[in-house]
Amino acid sequence: MAEAGTGFLEQIKSCIVWSWTYLWTLWFFIMLFLVYILRVPLKINDNLTTVSMFLNTLTPKFYVALTGTSSLISGLILIFEWWYFRKYGTSFIEQVSVSHLRPLLGGVDNSAPSAASAAGGDADASRQSVSECKVWRNPLNLFRGAEYNRYTWVTGREPLTYYDMNLSAQDHQTFFTCDTDHLRPADAIMQKAWRERNPQARISAAHEALELNECATAYILLAEEEATTIVEAEKLFKQALKAGEGCYRRSQQLQHHGAQYEAQHRRDTNVLVYIKRRLAMCARKLGRTREAVKMMRDLMKEFPLLSMFNIHENLLEALLELQAYADVQAVLAKYDDISLPKSATICYTAALLKARAVSDKFSPEAASRRGLSTAEMNAVEAIHRAVEFNPHVPKYLLEMKSLILPPEHILKRGDSEAIAYAFFHLQHWKRVEGALNLLHCTWEGTFRMIPYPLEKGHLFYPYPICTETADRELLPSFHEVSVYPKKELPFFILFTAGLCSFTAMLALLTHQFPELMGVFAKAFLSTLFAPLNFVMEKVESILPSSLWHQLTRI
C-alpha cells in the first residue's frame, strides 16, 4: 500500500511538472481572460485611470531619479557579477538559477540513474578529477635561497605561493624522513625541521642537527634555503653527498634485515638521488654543461627505477644547450612512448627537432602556393600535437605573455607547466633559425581540429577542466593565469551591462530634455499598448456587456 501511495504521488507530481513545463502559455491566457471578465467588480478601469492621473502629475525630476537609481543598481549588480566571474569562472545569477530555482520549477532529469549507479558514477568522476589535477614536482625547480629569495629581495614580490611551498614540505617529509628517525638525534631534529613553516626556524634546526652529526638532509636544507649563490649551494651539496653516500652504503648492507631497515634504505636512496641531481643542476647553471650531462646519465644508469624525479627532462634541457640533437632524439625515442606519461618538455622538444629540419627554409607564402612537403607536414603535425597537449606554451615562446619564475610544482597541461617549460627552453627555440616563425604560423591551426576540447581530444584525452583552479593555487597572484578554452562572458553580465548603460542614458536625456522625453515616453507607451487596446475592443464587440450579471445569476 505504501509503495502504491508513493507511486500515485509521484505521478501527480510528474503531471504538475509537465503542466508547468508545457501548459504555462494556456494558463497565462486563462488568467488574462479571468482578469478581463472581472474588470468591472475589480474596478480595473478606475484604477488604471487613477494611476494615469498620478503619473501625469509627476515631474521630470522623478523620472531622472528613477532612471538614475535603476542605473546605479544595475551597475552594482554588474560589478558584482564581473568580480564573481573573474574569481570563480561562472555567473552568480546563473549559478543560483541552476542550483536553487530550477529544482523548484521541476527542471529535474527524469531519466536519472539509480542511487547505486549514481554513487559509482560520482566516484569515477572524482577519481578522474583527482588524476587529471595531479600536481607534479617541477624537475627544473629553482633554488629558494639563491634564486627565489633573490627575486624577492629585488622586486619585493613573493614568487611562490603558500600552496606550492606546502606541497614542497610534504615532498620533503616523504623523501627525506622515515619511521626510524627518532632513533638518531640529528634525523629527529630534521624531521621536525621539514614541518616548520618559518624559514629561519628550519635553517636554525639544520645548524643544530649538524652540531650533533654530519647529517645529509641538514646540508640539503641549507643548500636550498640559506645559500645565496649557486656556488655556495654546490659546496653544501658536495658536503651532503659525502654524508649521504656513507649513510647509503651502511643502509644498503642492512636493508634485508627487516622492514625498518628497508624503509631507512629507501630514504637514503632518495636523499642520494636528490643530492646528485641537484649537483648536476648546479653544474648546468654554472656553465659546466658537459659535466652536468655526464652526472645525469650516470644517475639514470645507477637508479633506473626512480622515474618520479623525471631526470630525463633535466638531461634533455642540458643536451639542447650543447646542441647535441642526435642525443636528444635518442632520449626522446626512449621516453616519448605511448605507455609513458607525457609532458610539455617531451612534446615540444619533439616538435622542435622536427621543426629544425625545415624551419630555416620555411615560408608561409611558398607553402600556400606549392603545398607542404612531407618534412614540413611532419613538423606541423608535431607542433599541433604539442599544442594540443599544452595550449598555453606558444604564447610564452612567442613572447605574447610575460614570463615569471616557475613554481616548484606544476600541473601537466596547465599554465604552470607552460611557464616552467618556456622559462628554460625559450633560448633553445630562439637558437634554431625559423623555429619560432614556423610555430607562429601553425600553432593556432590546432584548435580547428579540436573544436570542443573539453569533450573530445584528437591525440590526447579531453582537456581537463580543473587546470585553471589548480594553476591559480600554484602561481602568484600578480600573474594573470592563462585560461583554455577561453570562457565567454555569461549572458547576465552582458544583460546587466546593457541595462546599466540604457538606464544611465535615459537618466541623462530626461535631465537634459524633460519635455521632449515626456512626449517620447507618451508616444512609446501608446504604441506599446495599441495592440492590447485593439484586442480589447474586438473582445468587447463579441462578448455581451451583461455577461457578468448572467454569470452571477447562475
Side-chain angles (χ1 to χ4, degrees):
M1 290 293 293
E3 294 180 358
T6 304
F8 180 70
L9 291 176
E10 289 293 333
Q11 290 180 356
I12 294 177
K13 183 179 178 181
S14 63
C15 291
I16 295 174
V17 169
W18 181 85
S19 65
W20 273 108
T21 306
Y22 299 102
L23 300 180
W24 64 271
T25 53
L26 180 61
W27 285 42
F28 178 73
F29 284 114
I30 291 175
M31 293 301 297
L32 285 180
F33 181 75
L34 288 176
V35 169
Y36 175 77
I37 294 298
L38 299 175
R39 70 187 186 280
V40 175
L42 293 178
K43 299 181 180 180
I44 293 178
N45 292 330
D46 297 340
N47 292 332
L48 289 177
T49 304
T50 305
V51 170
S52 62
M53 291 177 58
F54 172 75
L55 294 178
N56 289 330
T57 59
L58 295 175
T59 62
K61 292 182 179 180
F62 170 79
Y63 294 104
V64 172
L66 177 64
T67 52
T69 305
S70 302
S71 177
L72 176 63
I73 294 174
S74 57
L76 293 176
I77 295 174
L78 173 63
I79 293 172
F80 175 76
E81 277 283 298
W82 177 256
W83 170 82
Y84 196 87
F85 174 73
R86 295 282 294 179
K87 186 173 180 64
Y88 299 105
T90 185
S91 166
F92 175 77
I93 300 176
E94 183 178 340
Q95 187 178 21
V96 170
S97 302
V98 173
S99 303
H100 301 287
L101 298 183
R102 187 179 178 185
L104 295 177
L105 297 177
V108 182
D109 188 7
N110 293 330
S111 60
S114 62
S117 60
D122 292 343
D124 293 340
S126 63
R127 284 195 296 270
Q128 183 181 2
S129 177
V130 169
S131 64
E132 285 178 348
C133 294
K134 180 181 179 182
V135 176
W136 300 72
R137 182 81 177 178
N138 183 6
L140 295 168
N141 65 308
L142 305 178
F143 293 85
R144 281 197 192 178
E147 292 171 308
Y148 288 121
N149 287 349
R150 291 179 69 181
Y151 176 85
T152 304
W153 298 336
V154 173
T155 64
R157 291 177 168 180
E158 288 291 342
L160 298 176
T161 63
Y162 173 77
Y163 176 69
D164 192 14
M165 292 188 289
N166 187 46
L167 290 175
S168 297
Q170 295 177 19
D171 291 341
H172 295 152
Q173 294 176 49
T174 302
F175 293 145
F176 302 151
T177 62
C178 65
D179 296 336
T180 60
D181 283 346
H182 66 278
L183 301 177
R184 297 174 296 279
D187 289 336
I189 293 175
M190 289 307 303
Q191 191 175 40
K192 296 180 181 178
W194 294 121
R195 298 172 183 169
E196 284 286 347
R197 293 185 178 181
N198 188 354
Q200 292 301 323
R202 290 196 297 269
I203 293 173
S204 300
H207 284 293
E208 182 182 351
L210 288 175
E211 292 176 359
L212 299 176
N213 192 9
E214 289 289 305
C215 181
T217 54
Y219 282 120
I220 289 176
L221 192 148
L222 295 178
E224 291 285 353
E225 302 193 21
E226 188 181 42
T228 56
T229 64
I230 301 299
V231 176
E232 293 179 15
E234 186 181 34
K235 290 180 181 179
L236 289 168
F237 273 120
K238 286 181 178 178
Q239 293 177 281
L241 178 63
K242 182 178 179 181
E245 285 180 336
C247 293
Y248 175 76
R249 285 192 295 268
R250 287 193 296 270
S251 63
Q252 189 177 27
Q253 297 174 356
L254 302 173
Q255 62 176 315
H256 301 297
H257 290 189
Q260 291 184 343
Y261 293 102
E262 185 178 354
Q264 184 176 343
H265 176 67
R266 192 183 309 115
R267 191 278 307 268
D268 292 338
T269 303
N270 292 335
V271 169
L272 185 63
V273 172
Y274 185 89
I275 293 170
K276 289 187 175 182
R277 174 172 161 269
R278 292 305 255 177
L279 278 173
M281 294 178 68
C282 288
R284 166 68 185 91
K285 293 176 184 291
L286 295 173
R288 305 195 307 270
T289 310
R290 295 188 182 277
E291 179 185 345
V293 168
K294 183 179 183 304
M295 295 172 68
M296 293 174 192
R297 289 187 184 278
D298 293 342
L299 187 58
M300 293 169 66
K301 290 179 182 177
E302 186 177 1
F303 302 99
L305 299 179
L306 289 180
S307 59
M308 57 186 171
F309 289 102
N310 291 325
I311 304 171
H312 61 276
E313 296 196 9
N314 300 83
L315 179 60
L316 283 173
E317 195 278 327
L319 291 173
L320 287 172
E321 177 65 21
L322 295 175
Q323 301 183 41
Y325 297 110
D327 293 336
V328 172
Q329 186 62 58
V331 176
L332 286 177
K334 181 178 180 181
Y335 289 97
D336 192 6
D337 186 81
I338 191 172
S339 61
L340 297 176
K342 298 292 182 292
S343 67
T345 301
I346 294 292
C347 295
Y348 278 90
T349 303
L352 176 61
L353 292 188
K354 293 188 177 180
R356 175 177 170 270
V358 298
S359 60
D360 56 338
K361 299 177 182 179
F362 177 78
S363 171
E365 294 80 10
S368 61
R369 288 196 305 269
R370 59 174 170 78
L372 295 174
S373 63
T374 304
E376 289 173 339
M377 185 63 71
N378 292 336
V380 171
E381 289 177 354
I383 290 175
H384 287 175
R385 170 181 179 255
V387 173
E388 182 185 354
F389 182 82
N390 194 317
H392 308 283
V393 172
K395 289 186 178 180
Y396 294 105
L397 293 180
L398 298 173
E399 298 181 271
M400 299 165 64
K401 279 180 67 76
S402 58
L403 276 171
I404 62 172
L405 294 185
E408 292 183 338
H409 290 80
I410 60 174
L411 180 69
K412 288 193 175 183
R413 307 186 74 179
D415 191 31
S416 53
E417 185 191 33
I419 292 171
Y421 172 80
F423 186 86
F424 293 98
H425 289 261
L426 175 58
Q427 56 181 331
H428 306 317
W429 279 82
K430 288 184 175 181
R431 190 178 292 124
V432 177
E433 183 182 356
L436 290 176
N437 178 48
L438 179 61
L439 178 67
H440 174 72
C441 296
T442 58
W443 74 280
E444 291 181 329
T446 310
F447 306 127
R448 290 193 292 269
M449 299 164 25
I450 44 175
Y452 306 103
L454 299 178
E455 301 172 9
K456 184 179 180 181
H458 180 61
L459 297 174
F460 299 100
Y461 288 109
Y463 192 78
I465 60 176
C466 60
T467 55
E468 180 185 358
T469 305
D471 280 331
R472 290 189 188 280
E473 295 287 337
L474 290 172
L475 298 173
S477 58
F478 58 81
H479 172 72
E480 183 180 354
V481 176
S482 177
V483 179
Y484 175 80
K486 204 69 177 178
K487 293 183 178 179
E488 297 181 356
L489 287 177
F491 165 76
F492 286 104
I493 289 183
L494 301 176
F495 176 76
T496 52
L499 183 63
C500 177
S501 305
F502 179 71
T503 51
M505 182 184 67
L506 284 181
L508 180 62
L509 291 176
T510 307
H511 177 71
Q512 294 293 329
F513 313 102
E515 296 181 358
L516 182 62
M517 288 301 295
V519 173
F520 175 77
K522 290 179 180 178
F524 175 76
L525 290 176
S526 62
T527 306
L528 183 65
F529 287 104
L532 181 60
N533 293 330
F534 177 77
V535 172
M536 292 183 65
E537 290 176 1
K538 291 295 182 182
V539 172
E540 287 180 354
S541 64
I542 295 173
L543 295 177
S545 58
S546 60
L547 179 62
W548 170 250
H549 297 289
Q550 295 177 4
L551 289 176
T552 53
R553 285 182 179 180
I554 295 175

